[in-house]
Amino acid sequence: MLVVVAATSLFVTSVVSYAYRSLKPPPPKVCGKPNGPSVTSPRIRLSDGRHLSYRERGAPKDMAKYKVILVHGFDSSKDIYLPMSQEMMERLGVYILTFDRAGYGESDPNPERSVKSEAFDIQELADQMQLGSKFYVIGVSIGTYAIWACLKYIPHRLAGVSLVVPVINFWWPSFPAKLANEAYKKQPKRDQWKLSIAHHAPGLVYWWMTQKWFPYCSIMQRHPILFNKRDVETINNMSQVPMPNEHEIRQQGVHESLHRDIIVHFGKWEFDPMELENPFANNESSVYLWHGHEDKLVPFELQRYVVKKLPWIRYHEVSDGGHLMIHETGLCIAIFRELLLGEAPTAST
Ligand SMILES: *[C@@H]1O[C@H](CO)[C@@H](O)[C@H](O)[C@H]1NC(C)=O
Ligand SMILES: *[C@@H]1O[C@H](CO)[C@@H](O)[C@H](O)[C@H]1NC(C)=O
């Protein structure tokens, strides 16, 4: 009898302990802390004590005509590859500031990360770097949740905005249920699961993304299903470019970098982007949105719906474009020239 009780309690203890271990992410290895990676790049200290690591490129800040903060996407960093030479950036008169979003690279994790907190990280970065009262912002892929938040919370600070292949959230209230549902059903099954868990049960995201029983997420596994023909060509081109810091992207742990991105982006937002107002009501600047008709990650049907609701956004749909357009020379330059110079892109892009 006693043996049975002991065995049962041992079994229960093991199950609970397994569940606990597999649900709870390990603490991040924070940069600059005793067990963490070392800090190798410049950082600012935010008002809540967190550090943000940044990188500057292009024209020197004091000489630059245009100051741009560019926000990286999923599994990326301040070292995001931009196919523009130093000379080209100087000719354009552009200074580009990139930073590791919270939890990525050498920026401290923010367990309180939200759509809103990312906008205020950007504002504090701009102020500490003395970019002036207004600056340009460009967001790429999932990094655009920070840009929607800038439009919501700090519109008066923006000199111009470009959203590049912005990831949508199927649960934004303005989407008609039927449209959102149809698009959702077209996602690979594993990604439907991931999205649903992120939205309804964020506490299970760590377990889902680290379990070995089911295929868990196409993007983490860099699955070819996500890329169209032009993307594959871009990936081949990029494989020629040395990216010495790529190993640093996830160095503090995948939970506070990658998983937190999924939880925040596909969670419940404090506002609906499709109800935002034009920050440039006097036509002093513009908001642009670039999307690929063949983007395998973000259905163009939903993107078209977003811009239909926000007619002040100038929309470009690249007919054979995929998800990696910021890394293509012609498109990257067109995106910058339009944002900074108001120059309409040519047909060849
Ligand atoms: C890949 O590189 C070649 C050679 O530089 C270029 O002509 C081509 O446009 C690039 N393709 C993409 C999709 O970036
Ligand atoms: C706003 O500016 C653009 C050029 O930047 C121009 O094409 C457009 O007609 C202007 N719209 C209004 C309402 O003034």
Side-chain angles (χ1 to χ4, degrees):
M1 178 66 188
L2 206 58
V3 175
V4 174
V5 171
T8 311
S9 86
L10 184 66
F11 176 73
V12 170
T13 313
S14 325
V15 168
V16 169
S17 134
Y18 165 77
Y20 185 76
R21 272 182 289 119
S22 47
L23 286 176
K24 194 173 149 42
K29 299 190 193 73
V30 177
C31 274
K33 291 278 160 65
N35 293 318
S38 49
V39 176
T40 61
S41 55
R43 308 199 299 177
I44 58 155
R45 192 166 182 274
L46 299 168
S47 56
D48 67 1
R50 282 182 296 121
H51 296 88
L52 274 192
S53 154
Y54 64 88
R55 171 174 164 186
E56 303 172 278
R57 52 185 124 175
K61 191 167 59 183
D62 308 333
M63 322 260 281
K65 207 161 163 202
Y66 309 103
K67 300 186 180 86
V68 177
I69 297 184
L70 186 137
V71 184
H72 70 79
F74 187 80
D75 205 4
S76 180
S77 74
K78 62 181 180 294
D79 295 314
I80 177 173
Y81 169 63
L82 297 176
M84 291 197 293
S85 65
Q86 177 65 20
E87 192 207 339
M88 193 184 292
M89 292 186 277
E90 282 179 13
R91 228 177 322 124
L92 205 52
V94 65
Y95 161 89
I96 302 172
L97 180 62
T98 51
F99 65 104
D100 291 331
R101 289 192 290 109
Y104 278 101
E106 296 187 3
S107 287
D108 290 336
N110 180 8
E112 309 291 317
R113 177 139 65 107
S114 68
V115 173
K116 185 176 183 176
S117 72
E118 297 268 295
F120 289 98
D121 282 6
I122 290 173
Q123 176 165 256
E124 272 197 74
L125 177 67
D127 289 341
Q128 291 202 34
M129 298 300 289
Q130 301 179 318
L131 298 196
S133 61
K134 287 188 190 240
F135 48 89
Y136 292 84
V137 288
I138 300 178
V140 181
S141 187
I142 212 169
T144 50
Y145 73 76
I147 306 296
W148 292 118
C150 287
L151 287 163
K152 170 76 180 172
Y153 297 108
I154 56 163
H156 54 288
R157 303 299 308 272
L158 306 175
V161 177
S162 201
L163 297 136
V164 182
V165 299
V167 177
I168 53 87
N169 177 331
F170 294 92
W171 291 274
W172 284 337
S174 293
F175 280 135
K178 187 163 171 287
L179 181 71
N181 236 324
E182 280 168 9
Y184 183 80
K185 290 275 159 57
K186 282 191 211 153
Q187 302 278 308
K189 263 280 177 309
R190 72 189 88 184
D191 296 319
Q192 292 184 28
W193 273 101
K194 172 199 72 188
L195 294 166
S196 189
I197 289 171
H199 187 76
H200 298 291
L204 298 180
V205 165
Y206 176 75
W207 165 75
W208 177 255
M209 302 290 274
T210 52
Q211 53 79 32
K212 304 282 186 299
W213 303 336
F214 312 103
Y216 55 93
C217 168
S218 304
I219 191 165
M220 289 280 287
Q221 297 165 318
R222 299 188 174 170
H223 200 285
I225 200 171
L226 292 175
F227 303 112
N228 82 333
K229 194 158 151 271
R230 211 159 146 170
D231 286 333
V232 172
E233 204 182 309
T234 304
I235 291 171
N236 285 337
N237 282 0
M238 281 169 69
S239 67
Q240 317 292 322
V241 183
M243 303 212 199
N245 300 328
E246 206 174 35
H247 65 282
E248 291 177 3
I249 294 174
R250 309 172 173 195
Q251 65 184 353
Q252 300 185 91
V254 288
H255 192 67
E256 286 303 331
S257 50
L258 309 182
H259 300 173
R260 185 70 67 196
D261 247 358
I262 293 172
I263 292 169
V264 172
H265 185 85
F266 295 105
K268 196 167 163 16
W269 285 37
E270 303 96 350
F271 64 93
D272 182 344
M274 281 174 269
E275 289 178 354
L276 288 171
E277 281 170 18
N278 185 359
F280 308 118
N282 301 321
N283 209 21
E284 62 275 39
S285 187
S286 295
V287 178
Y288 303 95
L289 195 156
W290 289 78
H291 198 66
H293 184 75
E294 294 180 0
D295 190 316
K296 301 282 190 86
L297 207 67
V298 186
F300 72 89
E301 295 92 338
L302 293 183
Q303 209 68 272
R304 284 186 184 174
Y305 193 83
V306 171
V307 293
K308 198 172 99 194
K309 298 293 276 186
L310 302 172
W312 40 271
I313 289 187
R314 298 180 183 212
Y315 182 53
H316 297 291
E317 196 173 282
V318 180
S319 57
D320 61 346
H323 196 67
L324 302 179
M325 54 174 78
I326 195 74
H327 306 303
E328 271 186 52
T329 310
L331 280 169
C332 183
I333 293 169
I335 290 165
F336 272 88
R337 292 188 75 89
E338 181 184 50
L339 176 66
L340 307 177
L341 311 175
E343 217 169 76
T346 57
S348 62
T349 48

